[in-house]
Amino acid sequence: MEERAKQQQLLELLQAGLPEDVAKVDTSTVRYGLYARKSTTSEDKQASAIPDQIRECLDVVVVPNGLNVVKIYKESMSAKYPDAREEFSNMIRDIQMGRIDGVIAWHPDRLSRNMKDAGAIIDLVDRNAIRDLKFKTFTFENTPAGKMLLGITFVMAKQDSEHQGESVGRCN
């Protein structure tokens, strides 16, 4: 079973016990920041990654849902280590200052592959500074189960990043 199917199955299991009246966010009032990241600073590697992420998020998430994107954050930096990404830090600061209150990304692993940054995102959701998260390849609901699934997805991204590092190290 591929990762997306596993995530969907876990989400359905977690939602089975949720009440029908889970509060929905009025997305017409949310000011979104769209965050796109590739893992390398090299210009020739993953050259289309950021434009592709932005285009796909706009085509699949923003336009069909009529969302208000007020800023696009573009970053060419690994998310493996905390406090290393300037645009991510700018986005967090914009959330804390109330300039944006929603985040759109291609997948949660674009936001974080480390627990500090993942914790910052979840904390901002808990405090309602982030009112909504939208992803092209992942479904998020601001419920206890939804936050747990998001946390698990961040842990999986961290494990994947560390596994890639191990594999590359063995091949050298």
Side-chain angles (χ1 to χ4, degrees):
M1 191 181 297
E2 68 179 81
E3 182 181 333
R4 174 88 170 129
K6 288 179 188 176
Q7 290 173 349
Q8 187 61 40
Q9 184 180 28
L10 179 57
L11 178 62
E12 289 168 7
L13 288 171
L14 293 170
Q15 289 175 328
L18 288 177
E20 291 296 318
D21 63 344
V22 172
K24 299 292 181 193
V25 174
D26 179 3
T27 58
S28 69
T29 63
V30 178
R31 293 156 302 162
Y32 289 92
L34 193 160
Y35 183 84
R37 179 186 66 79
K38 67 177 187 166
S39 300
T40 178
T41 57
S42 173
E43 292 298 321
D44 58 333
K45 292 186 179 178
Q46 302 176 353
S48 65
I50 291 174
D52 288 350
Q53 288 175 47
I54 292 169
R55 180 184 42 75
E56 289 181 24
C57 285
L58 291 173
D59 290 349
V60 175
V61 178
V62 175
V63 173
N65 296 297
L67 304 180
N68 178 25
V69 175
V70 296
K71 187 166 182 181
I72 297 177
Y73 304 86
K74 302 175 197 174
E75 192 123 64
S76 298
M77 180 69 66
S78 171
K80 185 174 180 177
Y81 301 106
D83 305 321
R85 296 176 291 147
E86 184 176 342
E87 281 300 292
F88 181 82
S89 296
N90 289 341
M91 182 182 70
I92 295 298
R93 193 169 16 266
D94 285 347
I95 293 165
Q96 293 168 333
M97 299 294 290
R99 294 182 189 120
I100 65 170
D101 51 3
V103 176
I104 300 167
W106 191 80
H107 186 274
D109 69 3
R110 299 298 82 203
L111 295 175
S112 180
R113 287 183 174 264
N114 70 76
M115 292 300 90
K116 183 177 180 188
D117 293 344
I121 294 291
I122 292 172
D123 179 62
L124 290 165
V125 171
D126 281 343
R127 293 188 288 131
N128 206 36
I130 296 177
R131 294 176 44 217
D132 194 26
L133 286 170
K134 299 248 185 249
F135 302 97
K136 192 254 181 196
T137 60
F138 181 86
T139 302
F140 173 76
E141 290 183 5
N142 191 357
T143 62
K147 286 184 268 190
M148 183 180 77
L149 184 58
L150 180 64
I152 290 169
T153 303
F154 283 139
V155 169
M156 291 169 58
K158 177 179 174 36
Q159 188 277 334
D160 181 59
S161 182
E162 289 178 351
H163 175 71
Q164 287 175 15
E166 284 178 345
S167 297
V168 169
R170 271 187 286 229
C171 295
N172 289 336

